[in-house]
Amino acid sequence: MASFLGGPNEHQLHLNAVIAGLMPGTRMPGWRVEAACASGGVAVHQAVRLLATYDPILVVGVERLSGLPGAELTRNIGMAGDVILDQAEDLNFPATYALVAQQHMARYGTRTRDLELISLKNHANATKNPKAHFHHKKVTQADIDAGVMVASPLRLFDCCPVSDGAAAVILSSKPLGDHSIPIAGSAVRSDVISLAQRADCTTFPAAREAAAAAYSEAGITASDIDMAEVHDCFTIAEIIAMEDLGIATPGEAVKLIRTGDTEIGGRMPVNPSGGLKAGGHATGATGVGQICEAVTQLRGMAGDRQVVDPTYVVTHNVGGVGGTCAVHVLRRSM
Ligand code: COA
């Protein structure tokens, strides 16, 4: 059971017992996993590692973010940052990722136009995903131009929305029916919590190391990946993710974005679901939802957003500003 903000938002912790209440009398062992916005990915990783003890395992990710005044929600999400270094300075998450964007732009010449291309792509993908937050919204360049500045250089359409949602997967060490999809690699790494503790804001070492560990377990390299679902809580985060996952070298992700290679029909589709930007970011559900999208794609059941014949799909779920990262590699059933 993965959830980030049940306590501050809902005054409801102890969510594993709430889930157990939906299956009365089963008395299954259960608990809540919390790692900020990476709660879902960490819960899936934990379940993978626990299959020797419990088999099968149901992983549910859930969050409701709507209904709170914006300032209160922003403060609650800010609990994923350091209480002294970040929260006391009012460094909320849009502002934190704005610093990441500023440094990436200064070092590599990344442009606001690159961020817009990511937003346009992910919104277009979301219109092909019936479960996406912005499924019904056709976003144009004019919409993006009209978006207010949130934290420079990030404008409204660079931010993920405030979403409610849930996702679930069942894991087993044995195939469950004909459509089972193997998790070939699973890794989590943690890092210092605040950007203030890092020399370089343009890369998240926890993501790099989780990716290396997951690829090694799967017996692949980044060049084997056919598609990625990454944690684009802000558009700049999609660029950081591609570079941390080894899909592009540092500063070079923009080349794939500018040429359309990251679109659904491109050489390396990124976030065909619409990602967090347009698919939505119901924090505790996100990492589990990424696994659901990977499974749907590998089963060839993604409809209009289906990527052509993927063999390896990678998922990348981040807590805070790189304080936690979960990476999974899923493989087509042989
Ligand atoms: N992208 C595109 N459109 C958005 C949007 C987003 N992120 N957020 C809201 N909108 C749209 C709404 O659909 C609405 O459109 P409508 O008038 O056509 O119905 C309009 O903007 C106003 O919505 P509202 O809810 O009043 O927006 P807001 O100004 O309160 O919130 C943000 C905008 C960017 C502050 C909010 O989406 C946000 O906080 N996002 C980041 C969440 C976050 O930090 N998550 C954790 C990441 S680590």
Side-chain angles (χ1 to χ4, degrees):
M1 164 76 238
S3 173
F4 168 28
L5 291 171
N9 283 8
E10 305 277 349
H11 301 276
Q12 182 65 75
L13 289 169
H14 204 181
L15 285 164
N16 58 298
V18 174
I19 296 289
L22 301 175
M23 299 172 278
T26 54
R27 310 270 189 276
M28 287 185 286
W31 53 87
R32 184 176 70 100
V33 176
E34 192 281 306
C37 300
S39 300
V42 171
V44 172
H45 173 72
Q46 198 178 71
V48 168
R49 292 291 180 262
L50 279 172
L51 280 173
T53 307
Y54 303 110
D55 191 355
I57 301 178
L58 168 69
V59 183
V60 179
V62 66
E63 211 81 68
R64 181 167 62 177
L65 299 181
S66 68
L68 251 66
E72 189 180 339
L73 178 65
T74 300
R75 201 166 48 244
N76 290 351
I77 292 173
M79 290 180 191
D82 187 85
V83 69
I84 298 167
L85 296 172
D86 304 325
Q87 295 179 44
E89 302 296 331
D90 280 336
L91 189 66
N92 57 39
F93 272 91
T96 305
Y97 275 91
L99 292 175
V100 172
Q102 286 173 15
Q103 196 172 99
H104 204 278
M105 287 172 159
R107 181 168 307 167
Y108 297 116
T110 308
R111 303 188 296 236
T112 51
R113 180 67 191 148
D114 299 315
L115 306 183
E116 291 174 6
L117 289 173
I118 292 169
S119 187
L120 286 166
K121 166 183 70 72
N122 289 352
H123 273 285
N125 293 353
T127 63
K128 299 175 177 166
N129 177 3
K131 293 193 171 138
H133 184 124
F134 285 118
H135 175 58
H136 296 293
K137 186 162 180 158
K138 198 168 170 10
V139 169
T140 63
Q141 183 64 43
D143 294 318
I144 289 189
D145 293 343
V148 293
M149 186 61 78
V150 175
S152 177
L154 304 178
R155 302 160 67 103
L156 182 66
F157 280 87
D158 292 306
C159 304
C160 64
V162 167
S163 308
D164 301 336
V169 294
I170 297 173
L171 302 180
S172 174
S173 59
K174 302 171 274 293
L176 294 174
D178 293 342
H179 295 298
S180 290
I181 295 294
I183 294 184
S186 171
V188 170
R189 291 292 184 272
S190 301
D191 196 2
V192 291
I193 186 169
S194 176
L195 278 187
Q197 297 163 295
R198 296 196 213 138
D200 186 351
C201 302
T202 63
T203 176
F204 298 160
R208 286 187 174 274
E209 291 181 25
Y215 297 168
S216 160
E217 188 180 339
I220 64 163
T221 65
S223 62
D224 294 310
I225 295 166
D226 301 304
M227 183 206 119
E229 277 289 314
V230 307
H231 197 99
D232 60 325
C233 49
F234 299 91
T235 46
I236 183 65
E238 183 161 310
I239 291 175
I240 304 290
M242 288 171 63
E243 295 172 0
D244 285 344
L245 289 172
I247 292 170
T249 51
E252 301 287 309
V254 294
K255 289 191 180 158
L256 299 180
I257 292 156
R258 290 171 191 163
T259 51
D261 281 332
T262 58
E263 292 171 11
I264 288 172
R267 210 158 41 86
M268 171 52 64
V270 177
N271 285 330
S273 69
L276 283 60
K277 168 66 210 79
H281 185 23
T283 46
T286 291
V288 185
Q290 291 177 329
I291 301 287
C292 293
E293 177 67 12
V295 167
T296 306
Q297 291 281 354
L298 287 163
R299 286 176 177 165
M301 298 170 77
D304 288 349
R305 66 181 192 287
Q306 181 65 50
V307 166
V308 182
D309 278 345
T311 300
Y312 286 103
V313 174
V314 65
T315 68
H316 158 279
N317 182 206
V318 173
V321 63
T324 306
C325 187
V327 174
H328 286 90
V329 177
L330 287 86
R331 196 188 63 224
R332 185 168 47 184
S333 228
M334 300 300 175

